[in-house]
Amino acid sequence: MAKAGLPSDFLWGFATASYQIEGSVDVDGRGPSIWDVFCDKGGKIADGSSGAIACDSYRRTAKDIELLRSCGAQAYRFSLSWSRIIPLGGRNDPINQKGLDHYVKFTKDLLDAGIVPLITLFHWDLPQALHERYGGMLNKQEFVADFANYARIVFEALGPYIKYWVTFNEPWCSAVLGYNTGIFAPGRTSDRSKSSEGNSTTECWVVGHSILVAHGAAAKIHREEFKSRYGGEIGIVLNGDWAEPWDSESKEDIEACERRLEFAIGWFADPIYHGDYPASMRKQLGVRLPKWEEKDIALVKGSNDFYGMNTYCANYVRHRTSLPQDDDFEGNVDLLFENQKGEKIGPDTQSAWLKPYPPGFRKLLNWIYHRTGRPKILVTENGTSIKNENDHKLPEILDDDFRVTYYKDYIHAMAEAVAEDGVNVKAYFCWSLLDNFEWADGYETRFGVTYVDYEDEQKRYPKKSAKEVKSIFEKYVGKA
Ligand code: PNW
């Protein structure tokens, strides 16, 4: 049996994001984000919904803090809505003091409740005005300058209270889902049945590049202007799921797994930890992958104080013998849920892409740890939806045994990676504290450890998992 344990200073809690929970989209001077506009287009969100009300968390901060306390959470990861703080987003646009004050008060209230706040500056809700003004993240120079200005305003206001800053959540999703497949805002793609604008062969790579430079610029500002005053650490959050070879004997499939991880994770991690994109991406994408200007890579290389890791599941990966398509973003591989022997990687959930595979978590922790030169890792998201969960009603819906098992197995896998393999993991956040607006999947897909009754004033009911997570951590913390 492998040893399993976590250090005694390990921090655990729950995560959310502004657009998914806040609602109050036109309250107290908030400006629209690309997600407000995308939802309003129609036909983009499974149930035709939007984040207009969501969990009503903007008005229920006290309830959310009470909930966190009742779950025994030590920490809470949430994101700021840029367009609440600067409604038009830009460096010459006015600041909305009410929006900023809201987050300052919330942060202080969390601290008063004994909960460590972790702030994400950008969880996909770009101010719409910046999208309209210059194409948002397609315009590196403007975007970096505006993001840097926004970050500085936030560091100034919240610096004294925050130990961990995340610049960007999952740039892969912003770039690929927003500018290649077009299933996320702003919905740009070459597929003209979905969008009249966009170029899937180039834009996602440009957007990824802009995000990296903006992250580097914010990290520099934090380090030079705030760190000595307030302390605190800064990093980016990258998503990625483990890859198992479709044919475990095939050298090509094993290489395809590596390539898949490089396209998903190395795309962002390699510039930060090694100063350039992976060679496999360079080879496949050629000139479509932006070249690093010296001044940009100087900002990006070494810009992480910690590695923020989001992971949910795993895939089987099979190499392709055909030449890569121009809009391919996966490294020219097939992503499958079954291997050559017909074995499934994991059970179905409500999310088409998510089949739990706990051993993959331990393997991926090891892969990332060694690829990036053994940084401190914070697991900033991990969790699951449940097949047909939304068909159930109170009180049965609170018996989320599938989710409880998921957390038991995933946290155990992490505790093995720490105690047995020596991976330096210091924090873990369940996704999510609340059922919430699950982007293109709307409200039908629930990820919360808390049931939110959208029909009855967004009342919150902790599910079984909300209580179980605490006892799971009690088993491991202090044992490594
Ligand atoms: C993450 N995929 O998104 C996000 O950070 C959360 O906002 C989100 O609610 C959560 O995971 C659950 O989906 C992802 O298609 C969305 O592979 C889609 C994918 C991965 C992550």
Side-chain angles (χ1 to χ4, degrees):
M1 267 280 277
K3 279 189 294 175
L6 299 167
S8 49
D9 60 350
F10 195 85
L11 201 62
W12 66 269
F14 301 90
T16 60
S18 48
Y19 191 69
Q20 294 181 275
I21 65 162
E22 285 183 351
S24 297
V25 290
D26 45 18
V27 171
D28 287 347
R30 177 187 180 277
S33 80
I34 55 172
W35 272 94
D36 297 286
V37 174
F38 186 67
C39 294
D40 284 350
K41 279 188 180 156
K44 303 291 184 191
I45 312 297
D47 52 7
S49 66
S50 76
I53 301 174
C55 307
D56 197 22
S57 282
Y58 185 74
R59 301 194 306 145
R60 284 166 205 264
T61 50
K63 283 264 179 282
D64 287 349
I65 292 174
E66 195 185 299
L67 183 63
L68 284 159
R69 280 185 64 111
S70 75
C71 300
Q74 300 172 336
Y76 182 48
R77 170 178 178 237
F78 61 102
S79 82
L80 310 185
S81 155
W82 182 344
S83 62
R84 278 194 200 285
I85 295 171
I86 312 169
L88 297 174
R91 56 199 182 280
N92 299 313
D93 297 319
I95 297 173
N96 178 34
Q97 196 58 42
K98 272 194 181 164
L100 194 54
D101 289 349
H102 168 82
Y103 291 120
V104 173
K105 176 171 185 331
F106 182 57
T107 300
K108 287 184 177 168
D109 290 349
L110 280 168
L111 288 168
D112 287 345
I115 297 163
V116 176
L118 183 149
I119 286 183
T120 306
L121 293 173
F122 184 89
H123 200 122
W124 309 348
D125 42 358
L126 179 78
Q128 173 67 14
L130 300 186
H131 177 72
E132 288 172 13
R133 197 175 284 166
Y134 54 73
M137 296 179 281
L138 288 170
N139 186 327
K140 184 186 76 182
Q141 208 181 331
E142 290 294 322
F143 178 71
V144 170
D146 283 344
F147 185 77
N149 169 70
Y150 161 58
R152 184 181 278 113
I153 289 165
V154 172
F155 296 151
E156 191 72 61
L158 287 160
Y161 315 112
I162 300 299
K163 181 165 174 215
Y164 291 121
W165 293 102
V166 168
T167 52
F168 289 88
N169 179 69
E170 303 191 346
W172 184 95
C173 287
S174 291
V176 169
L177 307 180
Y179 295 82
N180 176 300
T181 66
I183 64 165
F184 278 12
R188 293 175 66 90
T189 175
S190 293
D191 180 347
R192 291 288 166 261
S193 70
K194 286 202 196 129
S195 168
S196 59
E197 290 178 348
N199 181 344
S200 301
T201 73
T202 54
E203 289 187 2
C204 57
W205 313 116
V206 171
V207 165
H209 204 74
S210 301
I211 293 177
L212 277 166
V213 179
H215 156 79
K220 182 176 156 76
I221 289 169
H222 182 260
R223 288 168 179 177
E224 290 181 355
E225 300 173 30
F226 298 93
K227 204 181 170 88
S228 62
R229 258 198 281 165
Y230 303 135
E233 297 180 11
I234 193 160
I236 196 167
V237 162
L238 305 181
N239 59 302
D241 298 316
W242 180 244
E244 284 286 339
W246 179 74
D247 171 359
S248 57
E249 311 276 286
S250 151
K251 193 170 153 275
E252 283 95 347
D253 286 354
I254 294 168
E255 275 172 19
C257 286
E258 194 68 9
R259 203 162 62 242
R260 155 70 177 159
L261 291 172
E262 288 170 353
F263 268 72
I265 298 171
W267 176 8
F268 301 100
D270 280 20
I272 293 174
Y273 289 96
H274 302 298
D276 202 356
Y277 291 121
S280 58
M281 293 184 73
R282 207 38 95 206
K283 184 168 170 225
Q284 180 178 318
L285 302 169
V287 292
R288 288 183 286 126
L289 192 63
K291 281 244 170 343
W292 283 107
E293 284 174 36
E294 231 168 272
K295 68 167 187 3
D296 286 346
I297 197 62
L299 285 174
V300 172
K301 193 177 179 196
S303 54
N304 257 2
D305 294 329
F306 60 85
Y307 182 103
M309 172 180 181
N310 287 1
T311 194
Y312 288 86
C313 53
N315 289 106
Y316 287 116
V317 169
R318 187 173 56 201
H319 84 288
R320 284 185 186 160
T321 45
S322 54
L323 284 175
Q325 301 284 315
D326 277 352
D327 62 354
D328 175 70
F329 51 84
E330 276 158 347
N332 203 31
V333 301
D334 291 323
L335 291 184
L336 305 160
F337 297 122
E338 268 185 22
N339 65 10
Q340 190 189 29
K341 297 181 189 141
E343 295 161 340
K344 282 194 74 173
I345 192 110
D348 289 342
T349 67
Q350 187 64 25
S351 312
W353 52 274
L354 200 172
K355 320 265 182 221
Y357 179 65
F361 190 18
R362 179 172 170 185
K363 293 181 191 184
L364 186 60
L365 278 162
N366 274 281
W367 188 89
I368 289 172
Y369 192 53
H370 295 290
R371 177 114 189 161
T372 57
R374 297 146 63 96
K376 165 156 87 179
I377 296 177
L378 312 182
V379 176
T380 34
E381 278 179 35
N382 180 235
T384 192
S385 59
I386 304 178
K387 185 93 195 147
N388 300 328
E389 186 177 17
N390 197 40
D391 296 346
H392 298 280
K393 300 267 163 297
L394 283 171
E396 303 85 60
I397 197 164
L398 304 180
D399 290 327
D400 61 341
D401 296 293
F402 183 88
R403 187 172 285 108
V404 170
T405 304
Y406 179 98
Y407 281 125
K408 277 190 180 149
D409 294 348
Y410 265 80
I411 294 166
H412 183 79
M414 172 176 71
E416 286 183 341
V418 171
E420 189 80 14
D421 311 332
V423 180
N424 183 19
V425 189
K426 286 294 192 198
Y428 175 99
F429 293 83
C430 301
W431 184 271
S432 174
L433 176 65
L434 302 163
D435 290 337
N436 58 47
F437 177 69
E438 178 53 14
W439 308 110
D441 289 337
Y443 294 97
E444 285 163 11
T445 302
R446 295 175 178 270
F447 268 88
V449 298
T450 304
Y451 173 72
V452 175
D453 192 344
Y454 301 112
E455 248 88 85
D456 182 18
E457 299 182 334
Q458 343 302 104
K459 279 193 190 128
R460 284 109 160 98
Y461 300 86
K463 303 175 192 174
K464 207 185 255 180
S465 57
K467 294 153 204 157
E468 279 298 318
V469 170
K470 179 169 190 266
S471 38
I472 300 170
F473 276 103
E474 276 165 359
K475 216 172 108 191
Y476 297 113
V477 173
K479 308 269 164 57

